[in-house]
């Protein structure tokens, strides 16, 4: 998984990485010049006549003061300022025409993802087509979070009472990690997400599959799991599974849960064992999470896990 702002995978991240390298090279150059001048000053032998008072000393001192102390820093700051303004102007802050619009809502501690034009609701996993700008409309349902996919662009705050727009684009197919970049409580560290950049065709088939309601359970165990999920288990009061009577909005939409690669906001791999552990004791995996531990008989737990596994 490519993951880092110094391994840019899109135009916005690239301009920021270029700016970072420029600042690093200027900083290194200044440090090297400073170190050389300091070394020369420390180790050169004083000529015997230097102790004699004369006009040469003060004049050289003034030249150094004005050159290295005033003019040099001004030039360097002007270069960095110009490059920063240039990079900022190159980054879009409104949705460009033809952009894919995705609404992302931060929750403690997961990500709600909606594609308004495609009519899709997902969670903790964003799919985007390669080579097409994506306008993310960012907001929060509770505290301040911050959206950040280091490989694709800069971070932007997710505020409860305001929508910020972040425009990203991926140059190549790949999977990237997104992290919450604003401390938002106990599980801020485990507020992660997977961003999958894929070809237009793959993306279109992902969209088509996500638009479908949840598949009918194929066997008795999964059917029993669905009944527990909607009934006695109480899962449906927080989670939605499209195509069923489960329409909760407190927790992530689980319509296609089994097709996602992770659980718990990208904190653990989505395997049957982890699903069972998550349902029976989510606090063991992610302390402080809003989901209560389900009090289910072993048979009901196995049935719910089988049902969740059928939600492709
Ligand atoms: Cu959400 Cu930190």
């Amino acid at each position: 998984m490519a993951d880092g702002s110094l391994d840019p995978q899109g135009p916005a991240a690239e301009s920021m990485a270029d700016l970072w390298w420029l600042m690093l090279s200027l900083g290194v150059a200044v440090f090297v010049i400073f170190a050389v001048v300091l070394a020369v000053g420390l180790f050169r032998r004083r000529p015997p006549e230097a102790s004699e008072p004369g006009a040469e000393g003060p004049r050289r001192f003034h030249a150094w003061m004005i050159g290295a102390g005033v003019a040099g820093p001004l030039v360097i700051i002007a270069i960095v300022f110009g490059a920063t303004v240039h990079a900022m102007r190159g980054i879009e802050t409104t949705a460009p025409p033809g952009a894919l619009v995705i609404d992302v809502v931060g929750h403690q501690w997961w990500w709600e993802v909606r594609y308004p034009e495609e009519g899709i609701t997902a969670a903790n996993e964003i799919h985007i087509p390669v080579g097409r700008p994506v306008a993310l409309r960012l907001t929060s349902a509770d505290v301040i979070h911050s959206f950040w996919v280091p490989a694709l662009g800069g971070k932007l705050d997710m505020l409860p009472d305001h929508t910020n727009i972040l425009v990203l684009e991926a140059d190549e197919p790949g999977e990237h990690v997104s992290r919450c970049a604003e401390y938002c409580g106990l599980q801020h560290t485990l507020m992660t997400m997977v961003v999958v950049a894929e070809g237009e065709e793959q993306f279109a088939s992902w969209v088509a599959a996500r638009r479908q309601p949840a598949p009918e359970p194929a066997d008795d165990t999964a059917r029993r799991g669905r009944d527990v999920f909607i009934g006695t288990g109480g899962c449906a009061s927080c989670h939605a599974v499209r195509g069923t009577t489960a329409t909760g909005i407190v927790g992530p939409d689980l319509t296609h849960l089994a097709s996602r690669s992770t659980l718990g906001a990208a904190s653990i791999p989505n395997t049957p064992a982890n699903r069972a552990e998550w349902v029976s004791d989510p606090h063991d995996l992610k302390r402080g999470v809003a989901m209560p531990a389900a009090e289910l008989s072993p048979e009901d737990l196995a049935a719910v896990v089988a049902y969740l596994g059928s939600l492709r």
Side-chain angles (χ1 to χ4, degrees):
M1 226 183 257
D3 178 28
S5 39
L6 295 183
D7 180 22
Q9 305 286 317
E14 220 156 275
S15 70
M16 274 173 246
D18 288 347
L19 184 61
W20 189 87
W21 284 113
L22 172 74
M23 286 161 78
L24 179 72
S25 8
L26 286 172
V28 167
V30 168
F31 178 77
V32 168
I33 292 170
F34 171 80
V36 167
V37 171
L38 183 69
V40 168
L42 283 175
F43 295 114
R44 87 174 164 173
R45 207 183 293 169
R46 270 172 165 241
E49 69 273 20
S51 52
E52 298 290 313
E56 193 63 8
R59 212 181 296 140
R60 251 211 233 154
F61 177 72
H62 282 138
W64 268 105
M65 279 294 283
I66 290 167
V70 179
L74 276 181
V75 168
I76 290 168
I77 289 169
I79 292 172
V80 172
F81 179 73
T84 305
V85 170
H86 179 74
M88 282 168 72
R89 289 178 66 155
I91 291 169
E92 313 243 21
T93 51
T94 54
L100 170 72
V101 175
I102 307 176
D103 289 319
V104 185
V105 185
H107 293 258
Q108 283 172 313
W109 295 276
W110 60 283
W111 313 81
E112 180 186 339
V113 179
R114 291 175 190 277
Y115 294 67
E117 273 154 50
E118 288 73 14
I120 298 172
T121 302
N124 303 324
E125 193 169 301
I126 290 182
H127 285 238
I128 59 171
V130 164
R132 181 175 162 198
V134 178
L136 297 147
R137 299 194 296 208
L138 308 173
T139 176
S140 165
D142 36 53
V143 299
I144 300 175
H145 303 273
S146 178
F147 185 93
W148 188 31
V149 194
L152 296 181
K155 51 185 91 152
L156 196 58
D157 274 1
M158 307 176 84
L159 309 170
D161 51 1
H162 184 80
T163 301
N164 278 331
I165 295 181
L166 180 69
V167 181
L168 300 176
E169 190 175 324
D171 291 333
E172 302 281 338
E175 278 194 17
H176 309 294
V177 176
S178 157
R179 315 181 173 284
C180 180
E182 178 80 43
Y183 180 70
C184 56
L186 196 57
Q187 290 299 347
H188 158 71
T189 321
L190 290 184
M191 187 169 168
T192 40
M193 174 161 53
V194 180
V195 177
V196 181
E198 54 200 2
E200 275 285 355
E201 241 169 68
Q202 257 177 303
F203 175 71
S205 67
W206 180 82
V207 167
R210 294 296 96 64
R211 287 171 72 126
Q212 300 300 316
E216 272 297 302
D219 56 52
D220 285 346
T221 315
R223 222 164 286 135
R224 173 177 175 172
R226 182 184 59 185
D227 295 343
V228 173
F229 185 94
I230 292 170
T232 50
C235 316
S237 50
C238 293
H239 294 285
V241 175
R242 252 179 319 116
T244 74
T245 53
T247 51
I249 52 164
V250 177
D253 183 293
L254 302 181
T255 308
H256 298 288
L257 171 75
S259 70
R260 304 205 276 259
S261 58
T262 66
L263 288 178
S267 51
I268 46 171
N270 188 0
T271 62
N274 282 345
R275 283 198 289 271
E277 208 184 332
W278 180 267
V279 173
S280 55
D281 191 3
H283 294 257
D284 189 39
L285 296 163
K286 202 168 169 179
R287 199 168 298 277
V289 71
M291 175 166 156
E295 281 167 25
L296 300 172
S297 68
E299 294 76 26
D300 281 352
L301 176 65
V304 167
V305 170
Y307 175 58
L308 294 175
S310 76
L311 297 175
R312 298 228 125 252

